[in-house]
């Protein structure tokens, strides 16, 4: 007897085949089972889904192998995938299969069986209880007590250096000690922060729960490593999963706690494929896990979620207002630094008063020299890598434009190359201007490479307290390409071998640099007058995070400073930054957004189109907009005109976008769901010929 199954598989984006497909199976399989199924001329991995199989006029094919060695993916995982696919307007199979490790998608039943026979390092039940007893501050103790007393969701608003990580450790420790089957998911925004956090968690929990109890999940791991971590989480062997945004989809049958560190960070928003927000899905997942577990057992403990940041996203801050005003999150506050530490004093340097082309003002340079003389460290922050953003000719005005993008190629002096940071196209620096032959071509502007070189020249005659030469180091995406390079460079900073650290946002957040007493931001003004309404929020968060690297050791915190060189020292953003007053900044930004009808007081989606020509991209969007007049809820939605994207051409593909906005999240969702068919039909119109792809981005972070 054959059994009909609904199976979700990965199908092309926005294809007409968006739902589960029907297959025959010689045996019944529960929802969540992994199976190999034929799709066209190939075989692929699928997940048995809990919907009724559809009648089909086509021949119904039989499944291949069932991966019996793995327990089915549970209802909470399937519910999370279903919600993400629906909310972010993607096919459920696309989201489900992308959430599984790449190597698992390639394995057959026999290969998986061999893989599961490998030792995974079981938890040592007889290990000694090495529960750490850490002296907590009054604020940490209060926050933990309030967390345990309520269901949440929670927003931990903690100053940089206030001990948020220790709160995470304590909450995980408390959970695992009282529930032998519980699991915790701890998320960080950047791969480079994972090893640092992993070291602390392993030190705390491995002696008690074994080497397999803590695993990582991020895109920097090899496919075998990712599969091993996923299997450990799926089986329950791993009690703690540390990861980036992809970890929100980890299969964790005992999940009872989710922590999202630096929850404001834009890295939690996926920018390709299903453009999901891992932070928002973490909140939804905790509610879903709680609902399903209490349905099965009314006495089951809830799955709690904790979002942590010194500069929360304005959406999260707004949701954590008092319940009487409509807030849905519980706000927990830790405004003080651990010990006697204090936040750095903010100094503004008016660059209008400096000589033209000054890079380091005399005041800032003197402050850095004083730190070197005292054996302390300084950090110089510039969010632009490379030597210079442009190479230009002084005779004919030639600039190093990328032939494939509407952007300039960046000059990298180390390998004498011009490299596009959008499409990756690179070539050696020409000996003379390609346009007029003038040999006098020169860099314009500064990146971290040039800043590092300039600082080394300025400090060449200075000596450290031990008599050695000053060491200037750089950490950015270029200097950390090699495996282990980042860890090695961070070790040098931590041991005091580096006097001045130059870098991009990679060094501005998450790191616990105990010897840094001065942080300097060079030219942060670009975001002050950006057309993107979120730019001030991102700049404030980045500067607050960067400043938080200074004075983390109480012995030096009184002398810690943050220097900001700006052409606009009177800007309100800097006034709030000087006071380290995030609530005041957030209140002013929310007032502006309320008046303008911007998120979180409205809801947005972007439809992006990529085509061979800009005309075709915009024509597709305009046609789809015109055809939306009969779509449900269109009267509650505003469709703005199609416009080119900020960088409108990348890799010879033209890009355009159209903003869709509504005061109602439900109305926007209903409209987008019904509009999908219109968008698919519009693609075949003659005016849209040349269209390469299109995508919907719900809750976009940049416009």
């Amino acid at each position: 007897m054959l059994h009909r199954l609904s199976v979700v598989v990965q199908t092309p984006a926005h294809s007409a085949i968006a739902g589960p497909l029907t297959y025959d199976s010689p045996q019944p399989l529960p929802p969540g089972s992994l199976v190999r199924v034929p799709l066209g001329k190939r075989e692929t991995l699928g997940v048995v889904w809990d919907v009724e199989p559809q009648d089909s006029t086509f021949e119904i094919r039989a499944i291949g192998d069932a991966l019996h060695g793995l327990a089915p993916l549970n209802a909470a995982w399937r519910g999370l995938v279903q919600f993400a696919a629906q909310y972010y307007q993607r096919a459920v199979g696309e989201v489900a299969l992308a959430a599984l490790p790449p190597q698992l998608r390639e394995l057959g039943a026999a290969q998986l069986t061999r893989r599961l026979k490998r030792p995974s390092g079981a938890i040592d039940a007889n290990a000694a209880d090495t529960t750490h007893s850490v002296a907590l501050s009054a604020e940490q103790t209060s926050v933990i007590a309030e967390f345990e007393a309520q269901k949440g969701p929670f927003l931990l608003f903690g100053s940089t250096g206030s001990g948020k990580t220790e709160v995470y450790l304590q909450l995980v420790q408390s959970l695992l000690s009282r529930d032998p089957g519980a699991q915790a998911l701890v998320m960080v925004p950047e791969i480079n922060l994972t090893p640092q956090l992993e070291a602390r968690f392993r030190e705390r929990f491995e002696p008690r729960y074994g080497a397999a109890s803590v695993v990582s999940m991020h895109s920097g791991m090899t496919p075998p490593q990712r599969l091993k971590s996923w299997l450990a989480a799926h089986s329950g062997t791993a009690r703690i999963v540390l990861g980036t945004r992809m970890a929100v989809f980890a299969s964790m049958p005992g999940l009872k706690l989710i922590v999202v560190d630096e929850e404001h960070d834009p890295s939690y928003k996926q920018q390709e494929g299903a453009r999901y927000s891992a932070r928002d899905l973490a909140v939804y997942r905790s509610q879903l896990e709680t609902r399903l577990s209490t349905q099965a057992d009314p006495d089951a403990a809830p799955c709690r979620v904790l979002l942590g940041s010194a500069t929360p996203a304005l959406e999260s801050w707004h949701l954590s207002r008092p319940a009487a005003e409509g807030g849905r999150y519980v706000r927990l506050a830790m405004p003080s630094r651990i010990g006697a530490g204090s936040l750095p004093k903010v100094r503004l340097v008016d660059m209008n008063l400096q000589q033209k082309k000054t890079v380091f003002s005399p005041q800032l340079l003197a402050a850095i020299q004083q730190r070197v003389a005292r054996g302390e460290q300084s950090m110089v922050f510039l969010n632009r890598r490379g030597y210079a953003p442009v190479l230009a000719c002084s005779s004919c005005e030639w600039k190093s434009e990328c032939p494939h993008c509407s952007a300039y190629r960046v000059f990298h002096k180390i390998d004498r190359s011009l490299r596009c940071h959008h499409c990756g196209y690179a070539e050696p620096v020409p000996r003379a201007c390609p346009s007029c032959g003038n040999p006098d071509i020169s860099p314009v502007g500064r990146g971290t490479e040039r800043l590092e070189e300039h600082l080394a020249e300025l400090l060449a005659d200075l000596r450290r307290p031990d008599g050695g030469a000053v060491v200037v180091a750089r950490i950015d995406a270029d200097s950390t390409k090699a495996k282990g390079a980042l860890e090695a460079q961070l070790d040098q900073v931590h041991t005091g071998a580096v006097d001045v650290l130059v870098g991009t946002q990679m060094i501005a957040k998450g790191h616990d640099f105990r010897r840094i007493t001065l942080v300097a931001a060079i030219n942060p003004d670009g975001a002050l007058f950006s057309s993107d309404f979120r730019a001030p929020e991102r700049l404030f968060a980045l500067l607050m995070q960067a400043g938080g690297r200074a004075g983390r050791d109480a012995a030096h915190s009184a002398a810690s400073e943050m220097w900001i060189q700006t052409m606009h020292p009177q800007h309100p953003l800097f006034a709030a930054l000087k006071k380290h007053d995030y609530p005041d900044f957030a209140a002013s930004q929310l007032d502006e957004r309320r008046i303008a009808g911007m998120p979180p007081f409205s809801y947005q989606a972007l439809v992006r189109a990529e085509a061979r020509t800009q005309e075709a991209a915009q024509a597709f969007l305009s046609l789809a907009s015109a055809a939306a007049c009969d779509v449900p809820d269109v009267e509650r939605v505003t469709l703005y005109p199609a416009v080119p994207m900020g960088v409108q051409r990348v890799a010879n593909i033209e890009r355009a976008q159209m903003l869709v906005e509504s005061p109602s999240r439900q109305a926007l969702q209903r409209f987008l769901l019904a509009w999908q068919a219109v968008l698919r039909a519009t693609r075949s119109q003659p005016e849209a010929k040349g269209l390469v792809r299109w995508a919907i981005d719900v809750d976009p972070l940049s416009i």
Side-chain angles (χ1 to χ4, degrees), residues 251-518:
S251 175
M252 302 176 67
L255 185 61
K256 293 297 179 184
L257 173 65
I258 305 175
V259 173
V260 185
D261 191 24
E262 308 293 3
E263 64 88 31
H264 67 278
D265 199 287
S267 299
Y268 283 120
K269 185 74 159 73
Q270 173 74 10
Q271 296 301 325
E272 297 293 335
R275 290 164 166 80
Y276 63 86
S277 166
R279 177 198 65 208
D280 296 346
L281 286 182
V283 175
Y284 178 82
R285 183 172 188 177
S286 74
Q287 297 168 341
L288 179 65
E289 295 272 1
T290 298
R291 185 170 71 248
L292 293 177
S293 62
T294 51
Q295 284 175 359
D297 178 7
D299 297 326
C303 175
R304 292 186 173 92
V305 61
L306 176 66
L307 314 179
S309 177
T311 53
L314 289 179
E315 287 82 358
S316 300
W317 186 257
H318 184 63
L319 285 168
S320 69
R321 65 194 186 279
E325 300 175 15
R328 302 206 309 266
Y329 293 1
V330 178
R331 187 184 298 172
L332 310 173
M334 294 198 308
S336 307
R337 280 190 154 182
I338 289 295
S342 58
L343 290 167
K345 182 177 181 179
V346 177
R347 296 183 178 274
L348 299 177
V349 179
D350 188 349
M351 296 304 287
N352 295 295
L353 306 178
Q354 306 298 321
Q355 291 185 1
K356 193 176 181 180
K357 296 186 178 181
T358 296
V359 181
F360 290 94
S361 63
Q363 307 98 303
L364 173 57
L365 185 59
I368 292 174
Q369 291 170 333
Q370 290 170 8
R371 264 57 182 197
V372 173
R374 295 203 298 256
E376 298 168 7
Q377 294 174 317
S378 301
M379 187 176 96
V380 179
F381 165 70
L382 175 66
N383 208 19
R384 181 187 294 145
R385 61 190 172 100
Y387 188 84
V390 184
L391 203 61
C393 173
S394 57
S395 296
C396 70
E397 299 185 355
W398 170 87
K399 293 181 176 65
S400 55
E401 294 180 350
C402 176
H404 310 298
C405 306
S406 53
Y408 294 112
R409 285 174 294 163
V410 176
F411 173 39
H412 290 260
K413 189 176 181 180
I414 286 184
D415 58 1
R416 299 290 298 174
S417 70
L418 292 175
R419 196 180 313 150
C420 178
H421 290 175
H422 296 280
C423 71
Y425 176 72
E427 64 178 7
V429 173
R431 295 181 180 274
C433 173
S435 179
C436 70
N438 175 26
D440 187 18
I441 53 175
S442 57
V444 178
R446 281 173 174 79
T448 48
E449 265 186 53
R450 194 174 190 183
L451 212 59
E452 176 192 23
E453 179 184 272
H454 187 51
L455 257 180
E457 292 171 353
L458 293 173
L459 302 176
D461 297 330
L462 196 62
R463 288 291 176 267
R464 306 173 62 174
D466 61 6
V470 175
V471 177
V472 180
R474 171 173 54 90
I475 293 182
D476 56 26
D478 296 319
S479 69
T480 56
K481 286 181 180 178
K483 183 176 177 60
L486 177 62
E487 290 80 3
Q489 289 173 310
L490 290 175
D491 284 344
Q492 286 186 312
V493 179
H494 289 305
T495 57
V498 173
D499 298 294
V500 183
L501 176 63
V502 178
T504 57
Q505 64 178 0
M506 285 180 67
I507 62 172
K509 50 195 175 185
H511 300 290
D512 188 17
F513 298 129
R514 309 302 296 181
R515 301 166 184 256
I516 287 179
T517 58
L518 182 147

Side-chain angles (χ1 to χ4, degrees), residues 8-14 18 89-99 273-274:
V8 296
V9 297
Q10 191 155 13
T11 54
H14 305 300
Q89 304 294 320
R90 308 296 288 200
V92 64
E94 178 188 2
V95 178
L97 274 297

Side-chain angles (χ1 to χ4, degrees), residues 559-573:
S560 65
E561 295 177 338
M562 181 178 192
W563 289 68
I564 299 174
Q565 296 191 157
T566 173
M567 303 292 284
H568 307 279
Q570 304 306 319
H571 196 282
L573 184 147

Side-chain angles (χ1 to χ4, degrees), residues 394-702:
S394 57
S395 296
C396 70
E397 299 185 355
W398 170 87
K399 293 181 176 65
S400 55
E401 294 180 350
C402 176
H404 310 298
C405 306
S406 53
Y408 294 112
R409 285 174 294 163
V410 176
F411 173 39
H412 290 260
K413 189 176 181 180
I414 286 184
D415 58 1
R416 299 290 298 174
S417 70
L418 292 175
R419 196 180 313 150
C420 178
H421 290 175
H422 296 280
C423 71
Y425 176 72
E427 64 178 7
V429 173
R431 295 181 180 274
C433 173
S435 179
C436 70
N438 175 26
D440 187 18
I441 53 175
S442 57
V444 178
R446 281 173 174 79
T448 48
E449 265 186 53
R450 194 174 190 183
L451 212 59
E452 176 192 23
E453 179 184 272
H454 187 51
L455 257 180
E457 292 171 353
L458 293 173
L459 302 176
D461 297 330
L462 196 62
R463 288 291 176 267
R464 306 173 62 174
D466 61 6
V470 175
V471 177
V472 180
R474 171 173 54 90
I475 293 182
D476 56 26
D478 296 319
S479 69
T480 56
K481 286 181 180 178
K483 183 176 177 60
L486 177 62
E487 290 80 3
Q489 289 173 310
L490 290 175
D491 284 344
Q492 286 186 312
V493 179
H494 289 305
T495 57
V498 173
D499 298 294
V500 183
L501 176 63
V502 178
T504 57
Q505 64 178 0
M506 285 180 67
I507 62 172
K509 50 195 175 185
H511 300 290
D512 188 17
F513 298 129
R514 309 302 296 181
R515 301 166 184 256
I516 287 179
T517 58
L518 182 147
V519 172
I522 308 298
N523 190 24
D525 294 345
L528 293 177
F529 308 103
S530 169
S531 58
D532 188 346
F533 71 91
R534 296 184 193 273
E537 176 189 0
R538 286 197 292 266
L539 176 62
F540 187 88
L542 196 52
L543 292 177
M544 278 278 284
Q545 294 289 334
R549 300 317 104 202
R552 297 177 76 88
D553 189 334
H556 303 292
S557 65
S560 65
E561 295 177 338
M562 181 178 192
W563 289 68
I564 299 174
Q565 296 191 157
T566 173
M567 303 292 284
H568 307 279
Q570 304 306 319
H571 196 282
L573 184 147
F574 294 131
L577 192 67
K578 285 191 72 170
K579 297 183 292 182
H580 300 283
D581 194 346
Y582 175 81
D584 180 62
F585 171 77
S588 66
Q589 286 288 302
L590 286 171
D591 284 343
E592 290 180 11
R593 294 194 188 182
R594 184 182 290 108
I595 294 169
M598 295 288 189
F601 305 101
S602 66
Y603 304 93
Q604 297 177 333
L606 272 180
V607 185
R608 295 191 172 100
E610 298 181 0
R612 297 298 177 187
T613 65
Q614 184 65 213
E615 291 75 18
Q618 292 195 36
F620 167 77
L621 296 175
S622 300
L623 284 168
S625 178
C629 55
D630 297 326
V631 175
D633 286 286
V634 67
E635 70 281 353
R636 302 184 64 189
V637 169
T638 301
L639 287 89
Y640 290 87
V643 295
M645 290 182 63
V647 181
Q648 72 178 56
R649 189 176 84 258
V650 172
N652 292 322
I653 298 294
E654 294 285 341
R655 312 188 304 167
Q657 64 184 19
M658 182 168 63
L659 179 64
V660 186
E661 192 173 66
S662 174
S664 165
R665 190 193 297 273
Q666 290 75 20
L668 179 63
Q669 281 289 317
R670 286 193 296 267
F671 171 80
L672 292 175
L673 181 62
W675 197 34
Q676 288 265 10
V678 175
L679 286 162
R680 283 196 292 269
T682 304
R683 181 171 191 170
S684 61
Q685 296 295 315
E687 295 89 340
K689 186 178 181 181
L691 183 73
V692 176
R693 66 182 69 90
W694 59 274
I696 297 176
D697 185 358
V698 180
D699 300 335
L701 286 190
S702 58

Side-chain angles (χ1 to χ4, degrees), residues 3 47 106 225 463:
H3 300 267
V47 184
E106 300 167 0
Q225 289 173 332
R463 288 291 176 267

